Amino acid sequence: MSASTSGEDAQEFYGRWARLYDLIARRTPGIPALRRRAAAACRLERGDTVVEMGCGTGANLPYLREQVGPEGTVIGLDFTGPVLERARELTAEYDNVHVVRGDATSPPFGSIPEVAAVGDAGDVDAVLATFVVGMLEDPAGAVDDWCDLVGPGGHVVLANAARSDEWYAPPVNAVFRAIVVLSTPPTTKLRYEDAPHLRLDAKIDAAHARLRERSRAVADETHVFGVVRLTGGRIGP
Ligand SMILES: C[S@@+](CC[C@H](N)C(=O)[O-])C[C@H]1O[C@@H](n2cnc3c(N)ncnc32)[C@H](O)[C@@H]1O
């Protein structure tokens, strides 16, 4: 299956499930606190520019807007049209939050009028990606590109579901695994050749490991009963 076919599958899938996903994304217990923490881990200052890769229905965008204030810029990028419509509804009150359509592995900033000024190294202060890297063909390569985009001193923050050894972990993991399977586009590759959660675990590990390699300072945290891993990196030279 080609990368573009699996990309089309993902877009069709998220398009169909946008409302349901939005409910899970914003209402699951523990998730709003995680989103606030992920935005704080971007270490933004007022007036900064932050890009959220794979922003989905926009659940993180208000928290990022809170960090950069009215004088900053928030860009939410996703390749699925219907989730972006929801994200636009949620952020309609802010004129400095731009929700744009495009591929997180090759952000089209220069060609989008609202964000045409963004895209050179150093223009972006932080990149956030929550529950996204497991969907990418080459998650470590994407993390490299995001580190290059923010440049030395900028921040890249990843949050993903990860398995935990705590005593209460089995039921919580089962819920997350169900969310992972439900939120994995039904490509032949993901669904039938591999157990989706194992394949996702490997991709997530590769992405977080690459962020650690590229960072001169790293903060690792776990949230939501230990099953969500958050890594924030201040990028080195
Ligand atoms: C599990 S959802 C997470 C959404 C959001 N980050 C959140 O925390 O709720 C994954 C999102 O990543 C988007 N996505 C996956 N691969 C992408 C890519 N290559 N470029 C842009 N968006 C992508 C999907 O369209 C979907 O909205």
Side-chain angles (χ1 to χ4, degrees), residues 205-219:
D205 286 348
H208 285 248
R210 183 58 56 86
L211 176 55
R212 275 189 215 99
E213 283 163 27
R214 293 286 310 262
S215 301
R216 77 164 92 113
V218 181

Side-chain angles (χ1 to χ4, degrees), residues 27-186:
R27 299 287 160 84
T28 302
I31 294 278
L34 164 76
R35 296 191 184 286
R36 183 175 294 282
R37 185 63 206 129
C42 291
R43 302 288 182 128
L44 293 159
E45 291 175 6
R46 292 182 91 73
D48 276 353
T49 296
V50 57
V51 178
E52 183 182 358
M53 300 292 184
C55 65
T57 52
N60 292 319
L61 297 175
Y63 298 106
L64 292 172
R65 164 61 167 68
E66 215 172 274
Q67 298 290 320
V68 300
E71 61 273 56
T73 303
V74 179
I75 300 166
L77 179 75
D78 202 291
F79 65 11
T80 302
V83 295
L84 291 181
E85 280 163 31
R86 183 76 186 128
R88 285 196 185 102
E89 280 169 25
L90 280 177
T91 56
E93 67 190 282
Y94 308 119
D95 57 10
N96 60 336
V97 178
H98 307 286
V99 173
V100 297
R101 190 166 187 186
D103 190 335
T105 62
S106 54
F109 297 134
S111 59
I112 297 172
E114 307 94 287
V115 293
V118 172
D120 296 329
D123 287 343
V124 176
D125 299 289
V127 163
L128 172 65
T130 60
F131 309 112
V132 172
V133 292
M135 310 278 127
L136 306 178
E137 282 296 310
D138 175 13
V143 168
D144 262 334
D145 292 344
W146 300 342
C147 293
D148 293 342
L149 180 66
V150 301
H155 289 83
V156 174
V157 176
L158 305 176
N160 290 287
R163 278 167 299 161
S164 153
D165 297 328
E166 302 291 346
W167 65 267
Y168 48 73
V172 179
N173 282 337
V175 170
F176 265 94
R177 205 158 299 157
I179 291 173
V180 167
V181 173
L182 275 173
S183 64
T184 300

